[in-house]
């Protein structure tokens, strides 16, 4: 019976020791709120970055006891600082400083997402913590603009044309500006379209300039400029416009007038006809009144020995090219 008493006493002692340890652990757990809790000294903020640049999302933790990880769109990136599998990502800083900032370089369009710094509960029941959610908005410069019609266009006066400038794959969509040959920014007759690409992030921008060419537009260079907030300087494309137009005609008396401007009877009168046309291959016809004058007359008409019967008659020069024809006239003033 003595041995039995000793055995029971040994079991009782061990049982009491276990109870004591459980009680101690319970006291530690139940009083864990008395320990310093995990908390953030610095949390990430929303950032905007240009593709190819570097972004650092800060995360500093005081009294960290849990396991820390970053999430990207709620997907865990890993708990080790080198973030295996994410070559462009790393947790920089040191454990001593409590710094676990997320460094991304170079930033790519895929990094356009929401990020969160998370710490799991501590071993003594310290509650886990989660930072504010921070967004990275990645800006992407657009491709250089292109004019759909190329760099040279032949057109005809008074026929409306459309010049289309396209800037691909920008985030945000590129702003497009048209500039004429004198450096003036064009605002009228412009239609702007932004189309979202299949990735749901980038855009193709189009600007259509509707223009009715005139003679003064001949050999004019139109410039399309495109840029967005991802780049400081614009890029451009140019188109030179050739405008074909009917002759622009002017008629004047070259010689044969008196000092008072009138034509003396019996004088020989030379009348000039100047035509500006594109194409420049033109034909001339001269009329006196309604009568076609026969002869090899082109830019100059010669009337010999004019008489009073020519007074107030109209001399007309008609010029024709492939686009059309134009005419101009001069009235004869004969002094007797």
């Amino acid at each position: 019976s003595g041995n039995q008493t000793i055995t029971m006493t040994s079991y009782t002692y061990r049982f009491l020791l276990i109870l004591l340890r459980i009680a101690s652990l319970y006291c530690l757990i139940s009083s864990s709120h008395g320990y310093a809790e995990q908390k953030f000294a610095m949390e990430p903020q929303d950032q905007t970055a240009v593709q190819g640049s570097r972004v650092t999302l800060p995360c500093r933790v005081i009294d960290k006891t849990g396991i820390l990880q970053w999430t990207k769109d709620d997907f865990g990136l890993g708990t080790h600082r080198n973030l295996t599998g994410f070559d462009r990502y790393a947790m920089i800083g040191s454990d001593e400083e409590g710094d676990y900032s997320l460094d991304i370089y170079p930033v790519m369009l895929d990094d356009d997402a929401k990020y969160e710094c998370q710490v799991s509960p501590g071993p003594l029941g310290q509650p886990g913590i989660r930072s504010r959610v921070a967004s990275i908005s990645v800006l992407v410069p657009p491709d250089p603009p292109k004019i759909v019609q190329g760099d040279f266009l032949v057109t005809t006066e008074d026929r409306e044309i459309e010049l289309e400038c396209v800037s691909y794959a920008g985030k945000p969509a590129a702003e497009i500006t048209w500039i004429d040959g004198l450096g003036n920014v064009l605002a009228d007759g412009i239609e702007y379209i932004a189309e979202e690409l299949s990735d749901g992030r980038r855009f193709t921008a189009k600007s259509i300039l509707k223009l009715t060419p005139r003679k003064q537009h001949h050999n004019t260079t139109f410039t399309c400029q495109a840029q967005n907030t991802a780049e400081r300087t614009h890029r451009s494309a140019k188109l030179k416009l050739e405008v074909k137009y009917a002759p622009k005609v002017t008629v004047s008396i070259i010689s044969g007038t008196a000092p008072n401007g009138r034509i003396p009877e019996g004088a020989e009168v030379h009348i000039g006809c100047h035509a500006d046309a594109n194409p420049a291959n033109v034909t001339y016809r001269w009329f006196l009144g309604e009568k076609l004058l026969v002869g090899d007359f082109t830019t100059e008409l010669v009337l010999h020995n004019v008489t009073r019967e020519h007074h107030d008659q109209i001399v007309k020069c008609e010029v024709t090219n492939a686009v059309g024809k134009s005419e101009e006239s001069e009235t004869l003033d004969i002094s007797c």
Side-chain angles (χ1 to χ4, degrees):
S1 65
N3 291 336
Q4 185 178 5
T5 301
I6 292 173
T7 301
M8 290 181 62
T9 302
S10 177
Y11 281 129
T12 301
Y13 175 76
R14 291 178 182 177
F15 179 71
L16 290 175
L17 185 60
I18 292 172
L19 288 177
L20 181 61
R21 289 178 177 176
I22 293 173
S24 297
L25 183 59
Y26 175 78
C27 289
L28 286 173
I29 293 174
S30 62
S31 60
S32 63
H33 63 276
Y35 289 81
E37 293 187 358
Q38 308 178 109
K39 60 182 178 180
F40 290 108
M42 188 176 295
E43 298 181 56
Q45 304 282 347
D46 292 347
Q47 294 194 40
T48 299
V50 176
Q51 181 173 270
S53 65
R54 181 186 297 274
V55 166
T56 300
L57 295 174
C59 180
R60 287 201 173 197
V61 183
I62 299 174
D63 297 320
K64 172 185 169 297
T65 54
I67 298 173
L68 185 144
Q69 77 164 348
W70 281 90
T71 63
K72 172 185 175 182
D73 286 339
D74 298 324
F75 177 81
L77 299 178
T79 58
H80 298 288
R81 285 189 174 272
N82 63 357
L83 299 181
T84 303
F86 299 91
D87 296 339
R88 296 180 293 105
Y89 292 18
M91 278 194 283
I92 60 175
S94 66
D95 294 357
E96 292 76 13
E97 296 176 335
D99 189 352
Y100 300 86
S101 299
L102 179 64
D103 185 72
I104 305 175
Y105 179 80
V107 171
M108 305 297 289
L109 182 61
D110 182 62
D111 302 322
D112 193 287
K114 297 182 182 297
Y115 297 81
E116 187 178 60
C117 184
Q118 302 177 353
V119 186
S120 69
L124 299 180
Q126 297 95 326
I129 54 176
R130 304 173 72 167
S131 74
R132 67 170 58 91
V133 176
S135 296
I136 294 181
S137 179
V138 180
L139 306 181
V140 181
D143 293 343
K146 296 180 180 179
I147 297 177
V148 174
Q149 289 73 23
D151 57 9
F152 184 77
L153 179 65
V154 178
T155 186
T156 303
E157 186 178 35
D158 295 331
R159 296 180 186 176
E160 185 179 82
I161 60 172
E162 292 185 357
L163 303 181
E164 181 176 342
C165 180
V166 182
S167 180
Y168 295 99
K171 182 177 181 290
E175 298 178 358
I176 299 177
T177 304
W178 285 97
I179 300 173
D180 67 13
L182 299 176
N184 301 313
V185 176
L186 303 176
D188 297 330
I190 295 176
E191 179 183 0
Y192 178 84
I193 303 169
E195 299 176 345
E196 187 177 75
L197 299 184
S198 58
D199 59 23
R201 294 173 175 173
R202 295 174 299 163
F203 294 84
T204 290
K206 299 179 181 180
S207 180
I208 300 172
L209 171 63
K210 296 182 179 180
L211 177 72
T212 302
R214 308 294 184 196
K215 172 183 176 294
Q216 59 265 30
H217 293 126
H218 180 53
N219 287 333
T220 294
T221 297
F222 288 87
T223 302
C224 159
Q225 294 181 345
Q227 70 179 126
N228 67 1
T229 51
E231 56 185 355
R232 296 180 180 177
T233 58
H234 63 259
R235 289 184 279 184
S236 61
K238 297 179 182 293
L239 177 144
K240 187 174 182 179
L241 195 65
E242 178 183 338
V243 181
K244 293 186 176 182
Y245 51 90
K248 314 297 180 183
V249 181
T250 57
V251 173
S252 60
I253 297 177
I254 300 172
S255 64
T257 59
N260 62 1
R262 303 188 71 188
I263 302 171
E265 189 174 18
E268 180 178 278
V269 181
H270 293 249
I271 304 173
C273 180
H274 175 73
D276 178 13
N278 185 36
N281 184 20
V282 297
T283 59
Y284 292 84
R285 294 204 304 171
W286 288 90
F287 295 83
L288 182 60
E290 297 299 324
K291 181 182 178 181
L292 175 64
L293 298 177
V294 179
D296 188 20
F297 301 120
T298 55
T299 59
E300 185 175 325
L301 171 68
V302 179
L303 297 177
H304 301 279
N305 192 24
V306 295
T307 67
R308 66 186 66 188
E309 294 178 357
H310 291 110
H311 182 64
D312 282 341
Q313 286 199 354
I314 296 174
V315 176
K316 181 174 68 177
C317 175
E318 179 187 276
V319 186
T320 305
N321 70 356
V323 178
K325 67 180 179 180
S326 301
E327 60 184 39
E328 191 56 73
S329 60
E330 182 74 24
T331 300
L332 298 179
D333 183 10
I334 309 299
S335 62
C336 299

